[in-house]
Amino acid sequence: MSVFVEVCIDSIRSLSLAEHAGADRIELCSALRLGGLTPSDGYMQQAAQKARIPIYAIIRPREGDFVYSSDEIEVMLQDIANARQAGCAGVVIGALTPNGQLDVPAIDAMLAQAHGMGVTFHRAFDHCQDPHAALEAILARPAIERILTSGQATNALQGKEALKQWVDATRHSSLTIMPGAGVSPDNAQELLAYTGAREIHLSARSEQVSAMPSNSYASMGDGDDARYPITDSERVRLVKAIANRF
């Protein structure tokens, strides 16, 4: 069986591009420039209806750190319920305490809300002060299927030593280590060969130039209104071809 390829996207147009290029699963986000935020209800519904592969919605109510207030956790629990109602196969979660430990009560509440759905623990893991303790706590929660991680490095290639250690440590468990961050056709072969991972994650982002002229004096935010992120299907196809050799 070949390595599983997950592609994160932040538009409905990118869904068909990623799927047709060979993606095995979609991490559904909005605002990938901010690291990925919770998708809207309409976006989740349309994606779940159109997709022929599993859709996992990220549950992240804002940019920034992963330390959440009780009100934010309530938002996240409702978002999980919305993802279920929309028909998503799973959710992508994570929460930490101010001292960089897993926020176990928040995580357990989200797992209870997601009962019966697939669950990925996202790159909040890369901000844990003690990743080995965090790994043990996640292993004790079999509802969590995988950890998306860069090996606590800027990108997965730089974190390949830690990734290999964690892949080896979880090889005989139900938990999967999924390298992500900076994955491309240029490094996927090395990452998979070195770490032994059976899943890999990438965004394969390129930019789509707007069809209309931009008014540079009336920006909608910090980004460039004249262009927006879109999935590069060729990068996905190339990574999938590499994954098929493992």
Side-chain angles (χ1 to χ4, degrees), residues 72-138:
E72 288 173 325
I73 292 168
E74 287 301 317
V75 170
M76 296 164 81
L77 295 176
Q78 183 59 57
D79 285 338
I80 293 171
N82 294 345
R84 181 195 301 278
Q85 186 173 16
C88 294
V91 290
V92 183
I93 67 168
L96 302 179
T97 64
N99 64 355
Q101 307 302 314
L102 295 190
D103 185 342
V104 171
I107 292 165
D108 285 346
M110 286 189 273
L111 290 175
Q113 184 77 308
H115 180 71
M117 303 177 75
V119 177
T120 299
F121 195 95
H122 59 51
R123 290 191 61 212
F125 186 83
D126 290 325
H127 295 264
C128 289
Q129 292 299 309
D130 186 345
H132 301 291
L135 182 60
E136 289 301 316
I138 290 172

Side-chain angles (χ1 to χ4, degrees), residues 40-192:
S40 70
D41 289 354
Y43 181 23
M44 288 192 287
Q45 289 171 14
Q46 284 294 305
Q49 289 172 16
K50 292 177 180 294
R52 294 170 294 176
I53 58 178
I55 300 290
Y56 278 49
I58 193 169
I59 306 299
R60 186 176 177 225
R62 58 161 170 77
E63 62 182 294
D65 67 19
F66 304 102
V67 180
Y68 297 114
S69 68
S70 58
D71 287 342
E72 288 173 325
I73 292 168
E74 287 301 317
V75 170
M76 296 164 81
L77 295 176
Q78 183 59 57
D79 285 338
I80 293 171
N82 294 345
R84 181 195 301 278
Q85 186 173 16
C88 294
V91 290
V92 183
I93 67 168
L96 302 179
T97 64
N99 64 355
Q101 307 302 314
L102 295 190
D103 185 342
V104 171
I107 292 165
D108 285 346
M110 286 189 273
L111 290 175
Q113 184 77 308
H115 180 71
M117 303 177 75
V119 177
T120 299
F121 195 95
H122 59 51
R123 290 191 61 212
F125 186 83
D126 290 325
H127 295 264
C128 289
Q129 292 299 309
D130 186 345
H132 301 291
L135 182 60
E136 289 301 316
I138 290 172
L139 279 166
R141 289 162 172 80
I144 300 176
E145 301 169 292
R146 68 190 59 81
I147 301 172
L148 169 60
T149 172
S150 65
Q152 295 205 319
T154 301
N155 59 62
L157 191 62
Q158 291 178 5
K160 67 180 184 179
E161 296 289 347
L163 289 167
K164 177 176 173 52
Q165 291 176 18
W166 299 337
V167 167
D168 290 343
T170 58
R171 191 172 303 281
H172 300 296
S173 74
S174 61
L175 183 70
T176 298
I177 301 298
M178 180 168 64
V183 172
S184 72
D186 295 329
N187 59 32
Q189 171 81 29
E190 180 180 352
L191 262 172
L192 292 173

Side-chain angles (χ1 to χ4, degrees), residues 7-9 14 17-18 21 185 202-207 229-239:
V7 178
C8 59
I9 65 170
S14 287
L17 292 170
L202 72 157
S203 64
R205 271 188 294 166
S206 59
E207 288 191 327
I230 195 81
T231 297
D232 184 333
S233 57
E234 180 63 10
R235 289 189 214 172
V236 176
R237 187 190 67 78
L238 289 170
V239 170

